[in-house]
Structures are given as C-alpha cells and as structure tokens.
Amino acid sequence: MAGRGEGPDFVEALARGLDVLTCFGPAHRAMSLSEVASATGLARPTARRLLLTLAELGYVRPGAAGFELTPRVLDLGAAYTGSLGLWDVARPHLEDLVGTTGESSSMAQLDGSDIVYVARVSVPKLIALRVEIGTRFPAPQTSQGKVLLAALGPDELDAALATPSRAGLPGYAARSRAELDAELTEVRARGWALADEELAPGVRSVAVPVRDGAGAVRAAMNVTVHAAETPTERLVGEHLPLLLRAAGEVSADWARWQSRPHAELPRPVAGTA
C-alpha cells in the first residue's frame, strides 16, 4: 500500500486509488474484486467503487479474468519521463549505441529496492526476460541497479534495500548484505557495474551512471547481451567503452537541456486576481 501521510491536506481517497493501481503487476495482470481488496487491505465496497471509478477514467477495464490495467496507465509514467526531458535527450544516443554494438540498451531509475525501465532500444534476441518501459527488476540483481544503489549515501541505501520489491521476482539469496556492500564499493570506485546471469540465466549486462546538470546520478544506462553469445571479456572490453561515451553524451546533453531558459509565467494584470 502507498505510504500514508500525516499532514492536514493528505487525501486518503487518492492514496487508496493509487494502492489499487499499484497492486497490479507481472504476476497479477488480471485481478478479481476480492483479490484487489485483499491486496490493498480495502473493504470490498471501497475497492469496488475505486475500480469502477478507475474504469470510468480509462485506467482499468473489466474482463473475463477480472479487472486489468489499460495502456492509459502508461500516460502517468510518460508524464514523469517527459517532464525530465530524459527520454528525448537519450533516444538518439541509445539508438546510435545499439546500432554500433548490435545489442539492446536501456535506461532505468531507482524506485525503492527496484529499478524501473524508463527508456529502451532493443534488438531481437532470445533473452530470458521480457523488458519494456515500466518493467521492474530487483536492483541488487541488475547492473543498472548496482550503479544506482552505489550512488546512494549509507542511510539512503539502507532505506532503499528495506523497501519490499514490487518486481514479482524472487530475491537473490546467494549474496549477503556484506557481499553486496563490498560490490557496491567497487562499483562506486570504478564507475560501472556488471551483472552476470544474476537476474536470469543467459542474461549478462554492464551499466554506467547518467548524471544531471549538478553531477548527481539520476539514472543508469546499460548494454544487455546473451551470455552464450558474448563473453564477459568482450562485453567489458568492447561494449563498455562505447557505453561510457554514450552515457557521457547523454549526461552532457541533459545538463544543457536542464539549463535552458524556461518561459516565464505571465504576470497578472494590475487590479486582477
């Protein structure tokens, strides 16, 4: 469920509506009224009213298997990425990188203990996991996630890892927190991260940070390959330098985009409210 605010202006009905939207996922693409009520902790009548309201707004639709999200939900994420200007800036660089390497490239940002894909240019490959805009994966199991986690301070890192994943995938039990901390220290020092079949068999990737105009890490950009086709040595030796250059160009272009002058709002005419 969404975090509950304590301020006098907190709107509980809006929070409940967001709870309903976010209870859907890869493992729950269609849900009955009872399942939604159970997942959100809401009473059935409340869950029903919220679902019907969201259906009227076009964000969910009823079907034979229950309620499911509609593509209109993507508008919410598109509004976020559009406001950043990141996708417009990154797209030509991602396309150039993919054209050079022949491998898929994506950009993701951190949300709790998950990464969320915000941009992607793909090539046809027999990769075990389907990835699209909005896909979530547990951050510690991905190269992009390691880059983003390594950019956090100690308290921020603890808070991120304490947040339950909403990716619908099992956690990576083969690594302890101490081992993860040691790897993040290495990632922080060298400036890139590798994930070698940690997310799924056959999936190998390398990632680097994308920075904003102030130098803060705001996203991570990767190259993903099939482990049977591309050894680690080639991924790091050939693709990583190209990825570093592309991410640097994205960061520079994004900084320029952020510093561009914005139109001022019109000032009210004297005597008007």
Side-chain angles (χ1 to χ4, degrees):
M1 295 178 63
R4 290 299 185 257
E6 298 178 354
D9 297 320
F10 183 79
V11 181
E12 181 69 26
L14 176 58
R16 290 176 175 177
L18 293 174
D19 287 340
V20 170
L21 286 177
T22 56
C23 76
F24 292 87
H28 302 93
R29 295 187 183 277
M31 300 178 71
S32 67
L33 171 59
S34 295
E35 289 171 332
V36 171
S38 176
T40 58
L42 297 171
R44 279 174 57 92
T46 301
R48 178 179 177 275
R49 289 196 300 272
L50 289 169
L51 283 166
L52 293 178
T53 299
L54 290 169
E56 191 169 338
L57 292 172
Y59 291 108
V60 303
R61 61 187 168 213
F67 289 89
E68 58 185 26
L69 298 180
T70 73
R72 187 170 185 181
V73 173
L74 294 174
D75 291 344
L76 301 175
Y80 169 68
T81 56
S83 68
L84 291 174
L86 185 52
W87 169 233
D88 289 334
V89 167
R91 174 164 36 192
H93 298 289
L94 285 170
E95 291 173 345
D96 287 346
L97 179 64
V98 170
T100 303
T101 64
E103 305 290 352
S104 298
S105 181
S106 305
M107 189 173 295
Q109 295 183 294
L110 193 65
D111 183 18
S113 62
D114 293 335
I115 61 166
V116 180
Y117 282 75
V118 297
R120 179 167 174 81
V121 176
S122 62
V123 296
K125 290 281 184 176
L126 294 176
I127 297 294
L129 292 173
R130 180 180 176 182
V131 177
E132 52 196 24
I133 304 303
T135 294
R136 286 177 171 270
F137 288 135
Q141 295 170 235
T142 68
S143 58
Q144 291 170 300
K146 293 175 188 178
V147 165
L148 295 168
L149 291 172
L152 300 179
D155 292 341
E156 294 174 311
L157 178 60
D158 288 342
L161 294 176
T163 304
S165 172
R166 294 195 282 125
L169 295 176
Y172 187 60
R175 178 172 47 192
S176 67
R177 172 62 192 273
E179 291 170 327
L180 176 61
D181 285 342
E183 183 173 10
L184 294 181
T185 298
E186 184 176 354
V187 170
R188 205 173 291 119
R190 70 188 181 190
W192 56 271
L194 179 73
D196 193 0
E197 300 189 84
E198 296 169 40
L199 188 62
V203 179
R204 177 177 289 153
S205 69
V206 65
V208 300
V210 173
R211 302 177 185 275
D212 64 13
V217 176
R218 297 286 300 277
M221 189 168 159
N222 80 347
V223 171
T224 302
V225 301
H226 196 294
E229 297 178 353
T230 307
T232 303
E233 293 76 16
R234 183 183 175 200
L235 178 61
V236 173
E238 296 181 18
H239 295 334
L240 176 59
L242 298 171
L243 175 62
L244 284 166
R245 185 177 66 186
E249 291 170 348
V250 171
S251 297
D253 285 354
W254 194 23
R256 284 189 285 270
W257 184 92
Q258 290 175 312
S259 65
R260 70 183 184 180
H262 295 277
E264 294 184 2
L265 293 175
R267 296 180 180 179
V269 178
T272 65

